[in-house]
Amino acid sequence: MTKWVLRCTKCGNEWILEVSFDLTKLESGRLYHYCPFCRHNTFHEIVKRLED
Ligand SMILES: [Zn+2]
C-alpha cells in the first residue's frame, strides 16, 4: 500500500489515502473519490506520494 496526499478541489482540505496502485498514472491527474470533509464524492488533486 502507498500513502498519497490528496487535496479536495471542492473544500481544499488535504488528507491521506492509502491505495495499492500508482495515482501518478491517472490520465486526468485527478481522482474522483469520497471526501471525508465534504462527505460526498468530489474530484481530488494528487498532491504527493508519502515515503515511509
Ligand atoms: Zn472536500
Side-chain angles (χ1 to χ4, degrees):
M1 298 289 271
T2 307
K3 290 179 181 170
W4 300 86
V5 179
L6 301 184
R7 183 190 299 121
C8 175
T9 59
K10 181 162 182 164
C11 68
N13 282 300
E14 294 183 1
W15 54 278
I16 294 169
L17 175 70
E18 272 190 69
V19 291
S20 57
F21 53 91
D22 187 350
L23 295 183
T24 61
K25 290 183 166 48
L26 290 175
E27 258 180 57
S28 64
R30 300 197 302 173
L31 179 69
Y32 194 63
H33 197 278
Y34 180 82
C35 173
F37 297 93
C38 296
R39 295 180 184 174
H40 56 76
N41 290 331
T42 63
F43 282 105
H44 290 76
E45 297 170 8
I46 316 304
V47 178
K48 64 180 177 181
R49 176 182 179 161
L50 289 183
E51 304 294 339
D52 290 324

